[in-house]
Amino acid sequence: MILNYIIIFIFYYTYISIEAIYISPCAIWNTVGITIIGTNSPGNASNQLNVPQGMFLHQQNSTIYVADTNNRRIQMFSLDSPSSTAITVASNIDSMSAIYVDDNGLAMYVALRYENRIEKWIKNGANGEQVGNQCKQCTGVWLDNDKNVYMTESGTHSVLKWSVETNTTTVVAGRIDAHGSTTDLLYFPRGIYMSRLNNVFYITDMRNNRIQKLNMSSQESITVAGSKDGISGYDNSKLASPIHVWVNEESDVIYIADSENNRIQRWLPNALIGNTIAGGAGRGDANNQLSSPNALAFDNLGNLYVCDGNNHRIQMFQLIGNQTCPIVINCSYSLFKK
């Protein structure tokens, strides 16, 4: 079994640098994951992690960056190599909760939850520098095409935007120190994803147990996954403390790290329910289980990667089917009209 995993791993990562494929909304992944970083137990060796709390897959460079939170370091792992040994690219960083790497791979942006700020780390730099103003309980970070920085200020239930041009910070979602489940409010938001194709971004509204979609022209949002009323649950119509969201911008399919349900959910456009593509077999450290997943991403071949926080590992779930979705035709009118 171990030999089979090694063969699969080498084969896929030998060809990982090809152009990214289109992931069908009906794609299927192997529900048994392969551990590519970590050992299921906390540790500080180069092949170990200790409660990782964020991950970013850089497709252009075929690398994964991991916020190895309790080891106070950022680990970089090459997808072109079957080795599970990572390189430390930044260290002595406290309370990391999310990471974003710019397109050229020369800068990392790190959300420091209890340090109340975003730090920018230049490649090979010894220290990070603060970006923007204070960000109270800062838990998420993302950049738009103009390199403006978006940060989730969980402590005030809002999302902030720092303008690289004007060096000013503004509120773009939620209201400072107000929380609720109406369309203009958030409740302890966590992850954020900014679409590069339009002025739309997605927020994991964690304590409202939903994913909100906003247009930059309006601070009011719509619920695109989970309960619009903020109700948590365990069936496919609900979420429970979602932490991270990733969006396929070609198909508008949403993928969610559904933390308390220990699963990764896929939510199609306008759907009322999602479906589980990884995890969902209870909390645990078996290869078909997750424990508080907090980030996800896809490589150029469509394989799914999950930051499995409480299992101290990064799991890869291989894409095994990428078939197109069946076309459903509503024939009721033509067949039954009299």
Side-chain angles (χ1 to χ4, degrees):
M1 180 65 71
I2 294 175
L3 179 60
N4 289 339
Y5 279 170
I6 293 174
I7 292 173
I8 292 173
F9 197 84
I10 293 174
F11 176 80
Y12 271 89
Y13 292 101
T14 300
Y15 299 97
I16 200 71
S17 297
I18 66 173
E19 184 178 352
I21 67 169
Y22 171 76
I23 301 175
S24 167
C26 295
I28 300 172
W29 289 265
N30 193 332
T31 57
V32 177
I34 300 172
T35 302
I36 63 166
I37 311 174
T39 58
N40 285 9
S41 298
N44 59 10
S46 59
N47 66 335
Q48 292 181 304
L49 301 169
N50 191 347
V51 193
Q53 290 293 305
M55 176 187 73
F56 189 90
L57 194 154
H58 197 285
Q59 288 189 331
Q60 293 93 326
N61 294 341
S62 295
T63 51
I64 288 180
Y65 296 79
V66 181
D68 190 10
T69 301
N70 282 10
N71 282 326
R72 303 176 64 237
R73 65 187 182 182
I74 296 174
Q75 297 292 87
M76 185 182 73
F77 174 83
S78 173
L79 296 182
D80 293 327
S81 169
S83 170
S84 60
T85 299
I87 299 172
T88 301
V89 293
S91 57
N92 299 318
I93 311 174
D94 291 319
S95 67
M96 291 181 289
S97 62
I99 182 172
Y100 181 95
V101 182
D102 68 4
D103 289 344
N104 56 25
L106 298 180
M108 301 178 294
Y109 296 80
V110 189
L112 307 182
R113 180 172 180 177
Y114 299 116
E115 299 297 312
N116 301 306
R117 65 178 182 266
I118 297 291
E119 282 191 351
K120 179 181 178 180
W121 284 71
I122 301 298
K123 185 176 181 179
N124 300 322
N127 297 286
E129 61 179 32
Q130 182 170 335
V131 172
N133 298 331
Q134 174 180 279
C135 175
K136 187 176 180 181
Q137 290 199 50
C138 215
T139 56
V141 59
W142 205 265
L143 269 65
D144 64 19
N145 291 329
D146 297 320
K147 296 190 180 297
N148 300 308
V149 179
Y150 296 79
M151 53 194 87
T152 48
E153 190 174 50
S154 300
T156 66
H157 316 291
S158 59
V159 177
L160 310 178
K161 173 188 175 181
W162 174 75
S163 170
V164 66
E165 182 178 352
T166 64
N167 191 29
T168 57
T169 302
T170 56
V171 178
V172 293
R175 295 182 182 177
I176 297 293
D177 293 329
H179 64 79
S181 59
T182 55
T183 59
D184 60 331
L185 295 177
L186 302 169
Y187 191 8
F188 208 85
R190 287 290 303 262
I192 185 170
Y193 183 98
M194 170 66 66
S195 172
R196 296 199 166 210
L197 299 180
N198 49 46
N199 289 321
V200 171
F201 60 99
Y202 300 78
I203 302 167
T204 53
D205 192 8
M206 191 182 82
R207 290 187 181 166
N208 276 327
N209 304 292
R210 64 188 185 181
I211 306 299
Q212 297 297 96
K213 178 181 178 180
L214 294 90
N215 190 297
M216 286 298 295
S217 62
S218 171
Q219 282 190 290
E220 296 211 357
S221 61
I222 61 171
T223 300
V224 292
S227 168
K228 67 178 181 180
D229 299 317
I231 301 171
S232 67
Y234 308 98
D235 60 38
N236 281 335
S237 68
K238 302 290 195 307
L239 302 169
S241 296
I243 289 182
H244 185 84
V245 60
W246 190 94
V247 181
N248 185 321
E249 297 182 25
E250 295 180 88
S251 63
D252 288 332
V253 175
I254 300 167
Y255 299 86
I256 305 155
D258 191 11
S259 178
E260 285 192 12
N261 285 327
N262 304 295
R263 64 189 183 182
I264 304 300
Q265 293 294 93
R266 171 175 55 194
W267 218 283
L268 302 185
N270 304 313
L272 297 178
I273 63 172
N275 69 292
T276 302
I277 63 170
R283 182 187 298 269
D285 62 3
N287 283 333
N288 68 334
Q289 293 179 305
L290 300 170
S291 182
S292 297
N294 57 62
L296 67 101
F298 296 89
D299 68 22
N300 290 333
L301 293 175
N303 300 310
L304 167 67
Y305 296 78
V306 179
C307 185
D308 192 12
N310 287 352
N311 281 328
H312 317 285
R313 66 188 183 183
I314 305 298
Q315 292 291 90
M316 186 272 278
F317 297 88
Q318 180 188 345
L319 179 68
I320 59 175
N322 201 29
Q323 64 275 15
T324 57
C325 298
I327 299 175
V328 178
I329 301 175
N330 186 349
C331 299
S332 58
Y333 180 80
S334 60
L335 291 178
F336 298 106
K337 181 184 177 185
K338 294 182 179 180

